[in-house]
Each structure stands twice: as structure tokens, then as C-alpha cells.
Amino acid sequence: MGRVGLSTDRLVRAGAELADEVGFDQVTVSALARRFDVKVASLYSHVKNSDDLSTRIALLALEELADRGDLALAGRAGKDALTALADVYRDYAREHPGRYAAAQLRLDPETAAASAGPRHARMTRAILRGYDLTEPDQTHAVRLLGSVFHGYVSLELGGGFSHSAPDTQETWTRILDALDALLRNWPPKT
């Protein structure tokens, strides 16, 4: 039986908080045991190892992001929906940098299929319905949006834009304007 008060959910949430504080790559079962002031062995009835803990934190982050995305997209279409989803990713990354990093963890195919990951793809495809794209262009656009959102957020979190003007919010707004214009005028296949 596990230590009173410890559960898998509590450990995963504590691991996610630790990831936000020290970085996702620094979260281990040992670090979590120190946080709870318990022996590492007492956590093994709740998580298998550090990889299992990392996967569970990634699943939590994907779920939290998908829940936020669902709420943000309700009743929105076109550029309004595009901006709402983009802001969900950016805001989440700023509030929870460790969890955001965890959401990028490569999962095995079975775990990925059962995760909230497919919800993210469905949300992005829902946005694209407002732009009248067909396959394979819709898949290209999903990949483009994911690349831009993640790329910008990663560079911003890493301080890549902190040393020059204009303000990063102004750039973010202009990027979303440009994405909207591109999606409305998607180039034909040549």
C-alpha cells in the first residue's frame, strides 16, 4: 500500500508543478521523492519510473491544453478561432513552461492515439473548415500552424525576441494576421 496521501494523480500533478519550476527535463522520480520528503521506493507503487512519470505529465499537459482549446474555440470561426487557439498555446506555454515542454514529448503510437493529442488535431482542422481547404492542403495547413505556434512560443520562451523591438505581442498579432491571409489565399498546387 502506498504512503498515505500519495496517489498517482497527486504525484503527476506535483511533477507537472515541478516541471514548471525547474524544467521538464529535470523531473525525475528522485526529484519528486525529495519534494515529498519520502524514499524513492515509496513512489514506485504509483509510477513505474521516470519515463512513466514524464509520459503521465505529458498526457496531463495535452489534456489541459485541449480543454482550454475547446473552451476558447466554442462559437468561433475563421480568424477569431485561429487567434483563440494560437493564444491558448502561447498563454499555456507562458503560464506552464514545463508542462508545455512535456506536451511536446514523443509518445509511443498507442499512448498517443489514446491521449488528447487527436483532440488538438481536430481543433486545428475545425479552424481550417472556415478557410475552405481540402486535402492534402488541410494537412499541410495543420502542420504549418503547429510549426508556427510551437516555433514562435519556443523562441519567445527562450528569450529569442527579448533583445529587440517591436514588442513580441505586436509580432504575434502580425503573424496571426499573416496566417489568416495565407489561409484565405492558399496557393494552388503547381
Side-chain angles (χ1 to χ4, degrees), residues 161-188:
F161 306 133
S162 62
H163 58 312
S164 63
D167 177 73
T168 58
Q169 181 58 45
E170 182 180 341
T171 302
W172 181 248
T173 300
R174 295 291 292 145
I175 287 171
L176 296 177
D177 289 344
L179 285 173
D180 175 62
L182 172 63
L183 293 171
R184 282 187 284 109
N185 299 290
W186 193 264

Side-chain angles (χ1 to χ4, degrees), residues 5-189:
L6 292 182
S7 67
T8 302
D9 183 62
R10 184 169 179 215
L11 292 174
V12 171
R13 291 192 179 283
E17 290 170 11
L18 184 60
D20 289 337
E21 293 167 16
V22 301
F24 179 60
D25 58 341
Q26 300 299 309
V27 177
T28 63
V29 174
S30 296
L32 201 54
R34 284 190 298 275
R35 187 176 195 101
F36 283 99
D37 195 28
V38 298
K39 294 185 189 285
V40 173
S42 66
L43 302 186
Y44 287 129
S45 61
H46 305 288
V47 293
K48 295 176 191 171
N49 52 39
S50 291
D51 288 339
D52 180 42
L53 176 62
S54 294
T55 297
R56 290 173 185 272
I57 293 168
L59 294 172
L60 172 67
L62 287 168
E63 190 75 31
E64 289 176 343
L65 266 166
D67 289 347
R68 285 185 181 200
D70 284 342
L71 287 172
L73 289 176
R76 296 177 189 230
K79 184 179 178 198
D80 191 33
L82 172 70
T83 300
L85 187 61
D87 286 344
V88 162
Y89 286 106
R90 186 173 180 228
D91 293 345
Y92 187 82
R94 291 164 131 185
E95 292 168 29
H96 301 291
R99 293 179 206 209
Y100 183 78
Q104 311 311 311
L105 182 69
R106 185 180 183 131
L107 302 172
D108 68 75
E110 185 177 315
T111 302
S115 76
R119 285 176 59 199
H120 292 261
R122 284 193 301 273
M123 286 186 291
T124 306
R125 287 184 182 277
I127 288 170
L128 294 175
R129 282 196 293 271
Y131 292 101
D132 198 31
L133 294 176
T134 58
E135 285 300 343
D137 289 332
Q138 193 175 89
T139 296
H140 298 316
V142 167
R143 292 173 179 168
L144 170 70
L145 294 177
S147 298
V148 172
F149 297 167
H150 178 65
Y152 190 88
V153 165
S154 296
L155 287 167
E156 184 178 36
L157 285 176
F161 306 133
S162 62
H163 58 312
S164 63
D167 177 73
T168 58
Q169 181 58 45
E170 182 180 341
T171 302
W172 181 248
T173 300
R174 295 291 292 145
I175 287 171
L176 296 177
D177 289 344
L179 285 173
D180 175 62
L182 172 63
L183 293 171
R184 282 187 284 109
N185 299 290
W186 193 264
K189 186 175 178 181

